[in-house]
Amino acid sequence: MLEANQPFIIDSVEPSVDGGRYPIKREVGDTLKVRATVFRDGHNKTRVFLKFREKHNAIHWIYAPMQSVNEGLSLWAGQFKLERNTLYEYTIEAYTDIFQTWLEGTKKKVAAGEEVRSDLVEGRMMLERILAGNTPKGEKAYLEFVLSRIDQAASDQERLALYSDQELTKLMERSGPRDDLTTREPYLEVVADRVRARFAAWYEFFPRSQGSDPNRSATFRECILRLPEIKKMGFDVVYLPPIHPIGVTGRKGKNNSLQPLPEEPGCPYAIGNAAGGHMAVDPALGTMEDFIEFEKTCRDMGMEVALDFAINCSPDHPYVKEHPEWFFKRPDGSIKYAENPPKKYEDIYPLNFDAPEPHRRAIWEEMRRVLLFWIERGVRIFRVDNPHTKPVPFWHWLINSLQKDHPDVIFLAEAFTKPPMMRTLAKVGFTQSYTYFTWRNFKDEITAYMTELTQSEHSEYMRGNLFANTPDILPRILQEGGRPAFMMRYVLAATLSSVYGIYSGYELCEREAIPGKEEYLNSEKYQFKVWDWNRPGNIKAYIETVNNIRRVNAALHGYRNLRFFRSDNPNILFYGKVTPDKRNVILVVVNVDPFNAHEGAIYIPLEEIGIRQGDHFELQELIAGGKYLLQDRHFHVKLEPSQPAWIFRVDKWEQKEQDFDQFNM
Amino acid sequence: MLEANQPFIIDSVEPSVDGGRYPIKREVGDTLKVRATVFRDGHNKTRVFLKFREKHNAIHWIYAPMQSVNEGLSLWAGQFKLERNTLYEYTIEAYTDIFQTWLEGTKKKVAAGEEVRSDLVEGRMMLERILAGNTPKGEKAYLEFVLSRIDQAASDQERLALYSDQELTKLMERSGPRDDLTTREPYLEVVADRVRARFAAWYEFFPRSQGSDPNRSATFRECILRLPEIKKMGFDVVYLPPIHPIGVTGRKGKNNSLQPLPEEPGCPYAIGNAAGGHMAVDPALGTMEDFIEFEKTCRDMGMEVALDFAINCSPDHPYVKEHPEWFFKRPDGSIKYAENPPKKYEDIYPLNFDAPEPHRRAIWEEMRRVLLFWIERGVRIFRVDNPHTKPVPFWHWLINSLQKDHPDVIFLAEAFTKPPMMRTLAKVGFTQSYTYFTWRNFKDEITAYMTELTQSEHSEYMRGNLFANTPDILPRILQEGGRPAFMMRYVLAATLSSVYGIYSGYELCEREAIPGKEEYLNSEKYQFKVWDWNRPGNIKAYIETVNNIRRVNAALHGYRNLRFFRSDNPNILFYGKVTPDKRNVILVVVNVDPFNAHEGAIYIPLEEIGIRQGDHFELQELIAGGKYLLQDRHFHVKLEPSQPAWIFRVDKWEQKEQDFDQFNM
């Protein structure tokens, strides 16, 4: 029921997620722009404010005035800057400005030649009411001074001029009556993540495959030797699949074989053995100190480590002995392995998130302890394996409770599941999400999907991290399309989204698949591997170039600024990004067919990039080089598979003779 | 924060208004169809229910199962019938069906030739758990019987067949475990109004103008004499502007003159004088008994009276003396008349809905008392004057508190104000709303506006009552278009919406305006008037015909079933309505230009009206008569201003020789 003393209606607040049930997401330094419909009955003068504060560090509310932007629709707009990496709460407040309503009405009456003696008494009473209240001494003295001048004034006009004094206006805004002050509830929230949550290039590798001996695991120390190359290619995040001791019971061999050879290392997603569980490192990789050294080296080079958070336990995980009640049990008391009848996963014991209390809560707390363990060791990014197989309320609690103290921690959801679950995981807290990008290959489906991700309400809470491949997904387009496809899909990932990733081997155009499947043959998930990181046909230089383009062009740091533009050829995708000030404009043209050259007209969106009809402008191609001078929106392009994408920076050609000192002297 | 023991996500519930903040509206007899996204982690078998009850008469919840309609989107659908004129509350519940999940998994294992001894023990334990609980005796006996048969079974297949027994399935649905039962909050609400809230033709008249003496007020007794004619024209609701004693102070004369003659009756919207206020009738109209007789006569004829609820008080209203604290006061204690500087309304004292408590609450309660007074005298419909000038929370409380005991009371909001306020008044309780219909005259704007009203989310809570004219609005199209325009706008009002109205004089094509304004010259608002209800050029027979068509064609009883169809001529509007079973199909063609004939092709929407390509069908024109046999979607129409609209009923021509007994003998 609406409250009698809160007669304003404040609704249609945008942006918001499910009417404020979940926070929206932005990044530090952003200005949050808010719109809402605000009104009450009658025609009195309304004041509307955005009221905001840091939720976990709330000393006082800060107020930002909102402006009427469409009177007929009662639409108001305001904004505030997200200065810190934290969770903000905000709401909207409205009240009737009795004083200004009175002042404007009285002025109109005087202008119409009406008698206003009684009105002037009313105005005086409003000031007296403040004088009689808890107003600071300075204000009182000022009010008494104003009242004495009003009493001495010679005419109504003069009195109204005194009531219109700027200082009095401010005082009344501060201390005037707000009897009908209405506050929108529930309050809204915005997560201000650090910028790396939005802008980063991820590189995934299996640490044990970073060495030169095919018969043993590589070590963290060997991994360190790989970092300069990864840095040179331009990556920001080095993401490692699980680094913990690997189970022995039910261990899988090469190519997921159920009969492993004794020397085979097992799959790192079967976590835990006698050497420890989620808070230990696989001794084959080195010691905890080695990991810490690896993490520190990354950080010193300006990169960050992302760890895999996979809740699976192997039958040899210490939890199995320490907390058998955390697992599913058979009637005979033995613990059940994972199954999806008739499939069996005998190397995995799933935790029972539906266990009766106090066990469920104990599991939740233990998972939090695991993440805090790694946070204490410098890790600030977690890629979460299969989050959709654990309860949503668990993630809601886990992420919010961790980010309260550690707002800089980033969570990437490997939510390869149905769209509602993927979106909900983002709503309840995941910083980023994997997407269906690998299965969107053609112009129409890329356009539709990326528009949904970056332009719809989804973009308020979900940042799609576009992985071009993963250890589980070697897409058909890469298998068949070869090097041109690897280049093409790379540019798409790196420019459609501000945050994207590849799994190592991509730069080598590795594409040996299990026939008829999207899986790698001889996958690193099940065996040691040694790579020639400089093998012929690699696209490392190409990757370096594209990442450099990303770095120096601020437009590509944006996620929600993607726009698709017209191109006549159905194989040529044309899109771009522009900074809010339009000073950096990037246009991208991609031939999405890796097998054939395509050509056709593209249409430069002059209005959206701030170029007036008739202006001259230059397109500078940033991958291969080249400059094009244009005065028109039409541009003909031809893209060969060997050079499947162009990235243009647009510059106005606007220097005139008047711009030079010589001319003005 | 989401609850650990409620792991289902239940969201995107449709229909809903502002995420459930306000109820949706339907009518008695409707089936409410609900859709929602429902899921949790994992692949277990889910059960989802709609749970509903009458909110003010809640004995127990009723459960209606929901069905999965799109697994990929986790979309579920269900429905329940609104049997009574009352407020229903409902929500959605979901839980994991542990028993069926177990049964299906075990069956798959058996089919794959796996060993299931332990699984069968688990199944037995589930039954035993129920036996050990608070289950009715009959269920226990049955369970014991089933268990004994299971123990005696010869094979696993036989055991699983026993577990699949239909009666056991039902028992487990009723009494099985629901450990993760999740309930969606907040609950949703649906107002089930009586059908007249959606389907009615309104006729407005000033009672004092229903007589034959231009020098005095007509009486309720004279009004009764008018009722047979109004009934014959086919109206359902007789709406009267205020019938209360009229103020003397500041009284307005003819044509809103500030210098009235002594014998002039004043404007009935200036309510109250020495004879009484909102709970009295103007003595010039008769006694309260006369009103009651009038109301009863209407009811006996199958019509209803709608009263005007106008909160304005004249300076002579009894409230002014009895409750001076309810009004706005000047510093000298005198009461303020209404003003919007520099305009003054000296005949009106507005109530101060911002008065400090307890006065505000006293005003609210008094307004409720006024409405209850008339409800006790048989009135069930109120047209509310200017609701947007009183606080929204007041209406929210007033309407909800009255409808709790009197769910059959209908409120029409005269919300001629900005769109957000108009919509909000509908959200908080108004049964119907006036609309911008009189200002939507052309094909594109009628199409856009009526689509918004009947197809968008607005249609969930707002029923647009299309008045073709009002005492305050004589639209330019009628002033200039004359009789053709009156016919054309009449058909539009009566067929675009299921609920519509006219203000008397419309049937006479009365169109004498104050020059340059949309106001009537010599308005009945300010003077006595005598009409010749049979004057030449009237469209009474036309109105009767159209109302008859409305009555016998169920498609026209619907509000949300309006659809616009293709017509090539920009002056020819083509639309229609179909019953859910497609047994009644009405198509309407209107020439919206009252000055010229127009012709062109219209395209019969075969798919939407249930006609297969190639079928023969008949269009029967219902206003002027005429039949057309068609087999194709193309149809050429020509509409003269003198016959500006056609209303077709569509019948399939599907009788074949096989349908006759002779053929089959």
Side-chain angles (χ1 to χ4, degrees):
Chain A
M1 194 58 66
L2 302 172
E3 298 289 336
N5 58 354
Q6 299 209 14
F8 278 92
I9 298 297
I10 303 173
D11 68 13
S12 305
V13 183
E14 293 297 336
S16 72
V17 179
D18 293 3
R21 187 174 279 220
Y22 302 105
I24 61 167
K25 294 195 178 84
R26 292 291 187 277
E27 299 85 34
V28 175
D30 285 1
T31 295
L32 179 64
K33 297 182 177 183
V34 179
R35 291 184 158 229
T37 304
V38 183
F39 62 91
R40 68 162 291 185
D41 50 298
H43 304 96
N44 291 340
K45 195 166 170 63
T46 295
R47 290 202 182 271
V48 185
F49 289 88
L50 259 171
K51 165 175 146 175
F52 65 98
R53 64 178 178 184
E54 296 176 21
K55 184 168 183 182
H56 300 310
N57 186 25
I59 300 165
H60 58 275
W61 290 100
I62 304 171
Y63 292 81
M66 296 183 80
Q67 316 298 334
S68 170
V69 291
N70 183 324
E71 218 190 301
L73 296 178
S74 307
L75 194 62
W76 294 71
Q79 60 184 51
F80 62 96
K81 194 162 179 190
L82 304 167
E83 305 273 7
R84 286 175 23 98
N85 175 204
T86 190
L87 178 67
Y88 287 82
E89 61 180 336
Y90 61 101
T91 191
I92 294 172
E93 288 190 344
Y95 67 92
T96 300
D97 188 333
I98 300 287
F99 180 72
Q100 288 297 329
T101 301
W102 163 83
L103 185 57
E104 286 175 18
T106 308
K107 282 181 181 173
K108 280 182 193 162
K109 286 187 186 178
V110 168
E114 285 179 38
E115 198 274 316
V116 293
R117 199 174 344 149
S118 172
D119 301 87
L120 287 171
V121 177
E122 277 185 55
R124 203 180 197 294
M125 285 166 69
M126 271 189 263
L127 269 51
E128 282 167 354
R129 180 176 156 190
I130 296 172
L131 259 178
N134 274 332
T135 311
K137 239 180 169 176
E139 282 197 358
K140 286 199 182 181
Y142 173 71
L143 279 173
E144 274 163 4
F145 165 71
V146 171
L147 283 171
S148 71
R149 286 187 62 194
I150 285 170
D151 291 343
Q152 292 155 16
S155 69
D156 290 348
Q157 273 87 347
E158 203 176 305
R159 278 180 201 100
L160 288 174
L162 287 165
Y163 277 113
S164 307
D165 175 81
Q166 209 178 347
E167 196 160 339
L168 182 62
T169 303
K170 278 189 198 152
L171 188 151
M172 294 306 286
E173 275 178 25
R174 221 163 38 233
S175 306
R178 303 184 177 199
D179 297 337
D180 61 356
L181 182 74
T182 303
T183 304
R184 195 238 183 233
E185 288 187 347
Y187 291 180
L188 298 156
E189 293 180 350
V190 52
V191 177
D193 283 307
R194 57 196 176 107
V195 173
R196 193 155 273 178
R198 183 192 67 223
F199 180 62
W202 288 49
Y203 184 85
E204 172 178 8
F205 72 58
F206 281 77
R208 69 188 182 192
S209 303
Q210 305 311 308
S212 50
D213 183 344
N215 297 315
R216 67 156 177 88
S217 173
T219 65
F220 286 126
R221 300 211 160 265
E222 288 170 291
C223 291
I224 288 174
L225 302 177
R226 280 273 288 142
L227 293 179
E229 182 177 15
I230 295 166
K231 176 69 185 172
K232 184 162 187 291
M233 281 191 281
F235 290 98
D236 308 298
V237 176
V238 178
Y239 151 45
L240 313 181
I243 58 173
H244 316 298
I246 297 171
V248 179
T249 308
R251 177 174 281 194
K252 301 285 172 68
K254 193 171 165 174
N255 284 311
N256 205 14
S257 155
L258 294 174
Q259 282 83 38
L261 302 173
E263 66 272 23
E264 289 191 309
C267 173
Y269 287 91
I271 294 170
N273 65 27
H278 284 76
M279 289 185 263
V281 295
D282 184 352
L285 293 170
T287 64
M288 187 61 74
E289 288 63 41
D290 293 338
F291 170 77
I292 290 168
E293 177 71 16
F294 173 77
E295 194 284 325
K296 190 177 171 310
T297 311
C298 277
R299 189 166 294 272
D300 290 347
M301 295 172 76
M303 298 190 291
E304 282 186 62
V305 168
L307 282 193
D308 210 318
F309 183 51
I311 292 182
N312 310 322
C313 295
S314 94
D316 313 307
H317 197 291
Y319 292 157
V320 176
K321 277 192 189 128
E322 292 165 15
H323 304 287
E325 64 284 1
W326 289 359
F327 297 88
F328 293 92
K329 284 191 195 170
R330 295 195 189 82
D332 68 2
S334 63
I335 291 176
K336 287 186 181 181
Y337 46 77
E339 55 182 342
N340 187 8
K343 286 192 225 164
K344 305 176 188 180
Y345 306 93
E346 290 167 301
D347 58 336
I348 301 292
Y349 282 5
L351 286 171
N352 179 7
F353 280 88
D354 283 328
E357 299 295 6
H359 307 310
R360 171 165 55 195
R361 179 59 55 179
I363 294 171
W364 288 29
E365 293 289 352
E366 177 67 9
M367 294 301 103
R368 184 166 185 271
R369 219 162 62 84
V370 167
L371 292 177
L372 279 172
F373 177 90
W374 294 106
I375 288 170
E376 281 159 18
R377 277 148 192 83
V379 179
R380 287 293 181 280
I381 307 183
F382 297 95
R383 177 270 194 193
V384 178
D385 190 65
N386 275 338
H388 51 285
T389 61
K390 288 89 197 170
V392 172
F394 164 66
W395 297 116
H396 193 201
W397 168 82
L398 182 71
I399 296 174
N400 285 280
S401 101
L402 285 169
Q403 286 190 335
K404 187 172 174 181
D405 296 323
H406 304 283
D408 56 339
V409 176
I410 288 170
F411 294 89
L412 165 61
E414 190 225 15
F416 285 126
T417 179
K418 298 173 188 172
M421 177 60 104
M422 181 188 282
R423 289 201 296 267
T424 298
L425 290 166
K427 286 180 189 176
V428 304
F430 278 93
T431 321
Q432 305 174 351
S433 178
Y434 281 61
T435 70
Y436 308 125
F437 171 67
T438 52
W439 300 286
R440 297 293 181 274
N441 292 309
F442 306 106
K443 182 176 170 177
D444 55 344
E445 60 191 28
I446 292 170
T447 304
Y449 185 57
M450 291 309 302
T451 299
E452 178 191 312
L453 280 188
T454 64
Q455 306 307 308
S456 79
E457 195 214 50
H458 305 174
S459 69
E460 301 294 353
Y461 55 85
M462 183 168 131
R463 301 183 189 92
N465 187 332
L466 305 189
F467 265 76
N469 68 329
T470 79
D472 298 312
I473 311 168
L474 173 59
R476 180 173 172 186
I477 191 84
L478 298 179
Q479 293 183 33
E480 295 194 22
R483 195 172 189 272
F486 279 83
M487 293 165 72
M488 177 264 286
R489 295 292 298 177
Y490 188 82
V491 171
L492 288 176
T495 57
L496 287 170
S497 177
S498 49
V499 56
Y500 80 101
I502 59 168
Y503 155 54
S504 68
Y506 192 100
E507 68 271 43
L508 307 179
C509 304
E510 171 65 30
R511 56 183 174 126
E512 205 174 357
I514 296 173
K517 295 197 170 185
E518 292 205 326
E519 286 173 38
Y520 284 91
L521 188 67
N522 304 324
S523 168
E524 290 179 306
K525 285 195 291 183
Y526 308 108
Q527 66 183 80
F528 299 130
K529 215 152 182 181
V530 166
W531 295 94
D532 170 6
W533 297 110
N534 293 307
R535 80 182 189 195
N538 75 66
I539 58 169
K540 284 159 62 181
Y542 194 75
I543 288 173
E544 182 179 341
T545 300
V546 173
N547 275 333
N548 264 324
I549 295 168
R550 276 171 52 92
R551 186 172 309 105
V552 300
N553 287 284
L556 293 172
H557 300 201
Y559 179 79
R560 297 151 46 90
N561 60 345
L562 175 67
R563 298 290 181 279
F564 289 91
F565 307 122
R566 182 177 160 200
S567 119
D568 285 346
N569 187 310
N571 292 286
I572 295 179
L573 189 63
F574 179 33
Y575 56 92
K577 295 188 173 191
V578 181
T579 51
D581 62 6
K582 298 194 176 167
R583 291 182 62 175
N584 184 237
V585 177
I586 293 293
L587 300 177
V588 185
V589 193
V590 181
N591 173 3
V592 298
D593 173 0
F595 308 110
N596 304 288
H598 287 282
E599 62 185 303
I602 61 171
Y603 299 82
I604 313 293
L606 302 182
E607 300 75 11
E608 304 196 36
I609 65 179
I611 289 178
R612 283 165 306 187
Q613 198 78 37
D615 277 359
H616 291 264
F617 58 99
E618 180 185 280
L619 300 186
Q620 184 174 353
E621 207 285 311
L622 303 173
I623 299 179
K627 294 188 175 188
Y628 305 85
L629 285 174
L630 297 180
Q631 195 186 8
D632 182 23
R633 64 178 68 244
H634 297 77
F635 188 51
H636 189 89
V637 296
K638 179 172 181 182
L639 294 148
E640 303 285 345
S642 62
Q643 200 56 260
W646 285 355
I647 302 179
F648 296 112
R649 190 178 64 222
V650 184
D651 290 304
K652 282 189 222 180
W653 193 282
E654 54 188 355
Q655 282 182 316
K656 301 258 185 249
E657 56 274 32
Q658 289 86 340
D659 296 333
F660 291 90
D661 282 350
Q662 291 87 327
F663 188 89
N664 292 312
M665 263 158 63
Chain B
M1 195 57 66
L2 301 172
E3 298 289 335
N5 59 354
Q6 300 209 15
F8 278 92
I9 299 297
I10 303 174
D11 68 13
S12 304
V13 182
E14 293 295 337
S16 71
V17 179
D18 294 3
R21 186 174 280 221
Y22 303 105
I24 60 165
K25 294 193 179 86
R26 291 292 188 274
E27 298 85 34
V28 175
D30 285 1
T31 295
L32 180 66
K33 298 182 176 183
V34 179
R35 291 183 157 229
T37 305
V38 183
F39 61 92
R40 67 161 292 183
D41 51 298
H43 303 98
N44 290 341
K45 193 166 171 65
T46 295
R47 289 202 183 270
V48 184
F49 290 88
L50 259 172
K51 165 175 146 175
F52 65 98
R53 65 178 178 183
E54 297 175 21
K55 184 168 183 181
H56 301 311
N57 186 24
I59 300 163
H60 58 276
W61 291 100
I62 304 171
Y63 292 81
M66 295 183 80
Q67 317 297 335
S68 170
V69 290
N70 183 323
E71 217 190 302
L73 297 178
S74 308
L75 194 60
W76 294 72
Q79 61 184 50
F80 63 94
K81 193 162 179 191
L82 304 167
E83 305 273 7
R84 283 172 27 95
N85 175 204
T86 189
L87 178 67
Y88 287 82
E89 61 179 338
Y90 61 100
T91 191
I92 294 171
E93 289 190 343
Y95 67 92
T96 300
D97 188 334
I98 300 287
F99 180 73
Q100 287 298 329
T101 301
W102 163 83
L103 185 58
E104 286 175 19
T106 308
K107 282 180 182 172
K108 280 181 193 162
K109 286 186 185 178
V110 169
E114 285 180 38
E115 197 275 314
V116 293
R117 200 173 344 147
S118 173
D119 301 86
L120 287 171
V121 177
E122 275 185 57
R124 204 181 196 294
M125 284 167 70
M126 269 189 263
L127 270 50
E128 283 166 355
R129 180 176 156 191
I130 295 172
L131 260 178
N134 273 331
T135 310
K137 240 179 168 177
E139 282 196 358
K140 286 198 182 183
Y142 173 72
L143 280 172
E144 274 163 4
F145 166 71
V146 171
L147 284 171
S148 72
R149 286 187 63 192
I150 286 170
D151 291 343
Q152 293 155 18
S155 70
D156 290 348
Q157 274 87 346
E158 203 177 305
R159 276 180 204 100
L160 288 174
L162 287 164
Y163 277 113
S164 308
D165 175 80
Q166 209 178 347
E167 196 161 341
L168 182 61
T169 303
K170 278 189 201 155
L171 188 151
M172 294 305 286
E173 276 178 25
R174 218 162 40 232
S175 306
R178 303 184 177 199
D179 296 338
D180 61 356
L181 182 74
T182 303
T183 304
R184 193 235 183 236
E185 288 188 346
Y187 291 0
L188 297 156
E189 293 179 350
V190 52
V191 176
D193 282 306
R194 57 196 174 107
V195 173
R196 192 155 273 178
R198 183 192 68 223
F199 179 62
W202 288 48
Y203 184 84
E204 172 178 8
F205 71 59
F206 280 77
R208 69 188 183 192
S209 303
Q210 305 311 308
S212 50
D213 183 344
N215 297 314
R216 67 158 176 86
S217 173
T219 64
F220 285 126
R221 301 212 161 261
E222 287 169 292
C223 291
I224 288 175
L225 302 177
R226 281 274 287 142
L227 294 178
E229 181 176 16
I230 296 166
K231 175 69 185 172
K232 184 161 188 290
M233 280 191 283
F235 289 98
D236 308 299
V237 176
V238 178
Y239 151 44
L240 312 182
I243 58 173
H244 315 298
I246 298 170
V248 179
T249 307
R251 175 174 283 192
K252 302 285 174 66
K254 193 170 167 176
N255 285 310
N256 205 15
S257 156
L258 294 174
Q259 282 82 36
L261 301 175
E263 65 273 21
E264 289 190 310
C267 174
Y269 287 91
I271 293 170
N273 66 28
H278 285 76
M279 289 186 262
V281 296
D282 184 351
L285 293 169
T287 63
M288 186 62 74
E289 287 64 40
D290 293 338
F291 170 76
I292 291 170
E293 176 70 17
F294 173 77
E295 195 283 325
K296 189 175 173 311
T297 310
C298 277
R299 190 167 294 271
D300 289 346
M301 295 172 75
M303 299 191 291
E304 280 187 63
V305 168
L307 283 193
D308 208 318
F309 183 50
I311 292 182
N312 310 321
C313 296
S314 95
D316 313 308
H317 197 292
Y319 291 158
V320 176
K321 277 193 190 129
E322 292 164 15
H323 303 288
E325 65 284 0
W326 289 1
F327 296 88
F328 292 93
K329 284 193 194 168
R330 296 195 188 82
D332 68 2
S334 61
I335 292 176
K336 287 185 180 182
Y337 47 76
E339 55 182 342
N340 187 8
K343 286 192 226 164
K344 306 177 188 177
Y345 307 92
E346 290 168 301
D347 58 336
I348 301 290
Y349 282 5
L351 286 171
N352 179 5
F353 279 88
D354 282 328
E357 299 295 6
H359 307 310
R360 172 164 53 196
R361 180 57 56 179
I363 294 171
W364 288 29
E365 293 289 353
E366 177 66 10
M367 295 300 104
R368 184 166 184 273
R369 218 163 62 85
V370 166
L371 292 176
L372 280 173
F373 177 90
W374 294 106
I375 288 170
E376 282 160 16
R377 277 149 192 82
V379 178
R380 286 292 180 280
I381 308 183
F382 297 96
R383 178 269 195 193
V384 178
D385 191 65
N386 275 338
H388 51 285
T389 60
K390 287 90 198 171
V392 173
F394 164 66
W395 297 117
H396 193 202
W397 168 82
L398 182 71
I399 295 174
N400 285 280
S401 100
L402 284 171
Q403 286 190 335
K404 188 171 174 184
D405 296 323
H406 304 282
D408 56 340
V409 175
I410 288 171
F411 294 90
L412 165 61
E414 191 224 15
F416 285 125
T417 179
K418 298 171 187 173
M421 176 60 103
M422 182 188 281
R423 289 200 295 268
T424 298
L425 290 167
K427 286 180 187 174
V428 303
F430 278 94
T431 320
Q432 305 175 350
S433 178
Y434 280 60
T435 70
Y436 307 125
F437 171 67
T438 53
W439 300 286
R440 298 293 181 273
N441 292 308
F442 306 108
K443 182 175 171 177
D444 55 344
E445 59 191 27
I446 292 171
T447 304
Y449 185 57
M450 291 308 304
T451 300
E452 178 190 312
L453 280 188
T454 64
Q455 305 308 307
S456 79
E457 195 214 50
H458 305 175
S459 69
E460 301 294 353
Y461 56 84
M462 183 169 129
R463 301 182 188 95
N465 187 332
L466 305 189
F467 265 76
N469 68 328
T470 79
D472 297 312
I473 311 169
L474 172 59
R476 181 173 170 185
I477 192 86
L478 297 181
Q479 292 183 34
E480 295 194 23
R483 196 172 189 271
F486 277 83
M487 294 165 72
M488 176 264 283
R489 296 292 298 176
Y490 189 82
V491 170
L492 288 176
T495 57
L496 286 169
S497 176
S498 49
V499 57
Y500 80 100
I502 59 167
Y503 154 53
S504 67
Y506 192 100
E507 69 270 43
L508 307 180
C509 303
E510 171 65 30
R511 56 182 175 127
E512 204 175 358
I514 296 173
K517 295 197 170 182
E518 291 204 326
E519 286 172 37
Y520 284 91
L521 188 68
N522 304 324
S523 167
E524 289 179 307
K525 285 196 291 182
Y526 308 108
Q527 66 183 80
F528 299 130
K529 215 154 181 178
V530 167
W531 295 93
D532 170 7
W533 297 109
N534 292 308
R535 79 184 189 194
N538 75 68
I539 57 168
K540 284 158 65 180
Y542 194 76
I543 288 173
E544 182 180 340
T545 300
V546 173
N547 274 334
N548 263 325
I549 294 168
R550 276 170 52 93
R551 185 171 310 104
V552 300
N553 286 284
L556 293 172
H557 300 201
Y559 179 79
R560 295 151 49 89
N561 60 345
L562 175 67
R563 298 291 181 276
F564 288 92
F565 307 121
R566 182 177 160 202
S567 119
D568 285 346
N569 186 310
N571 291 286
I572 295 178
L573 189 63
F574 179 33
Y575 57 93
K577 295 190 172 190
V578 180
T579 51
D581 62 8
K582 297 193 178 169
R583 291 182 62 175
N584 184 236
V585 177
I586 293 293
L587 300 176
V588 185
V589 193
V590 180
N591 173 4
V592 298
D593 173 0
F595 307 111
N596 304 289
H598 287 284
E599 63 185 302
I602 61 172
Y603 299 82
I604 314 292
L606 302 183
E607 300 76 11
E608 303 195 37
I609 64 177
I611 290 179
R612 284 165 305 189
Q613 198 79 38
D615 278 359
H616 290 265
F617 58 98
E618 179 186 281
L619 300 187
Q620 184 174 353
E621 207 285 311
L622 303 173
I623 298 180
K627 294 190 175 190
Y628 306 86
L629 286 174
L630 297 179
Q631 195 187 9
D632 183 23
R633 63 177 71 243
H634 297 76
F635 188 52
H636 189 88
V637 296
K638 179 172 182 182
L639 292 148
E640 304 286 345
S642 62
Q643 200 56 260
W646 286 355
I647 302 179
F648 296 112
R649 190 177 63 222
V650 183
D651 290 303
K652 283 189 220 177
W653 192 282
E654 54 189 355
Q655 282 182 315
K656 300 260 185 247
E657 56 274 33
Q658 289 86 341
D659 296 332
F660 291 90
D661 282 351
Q662 292 87 327
F663 188 88
N664 292 313
M665 265 158 63

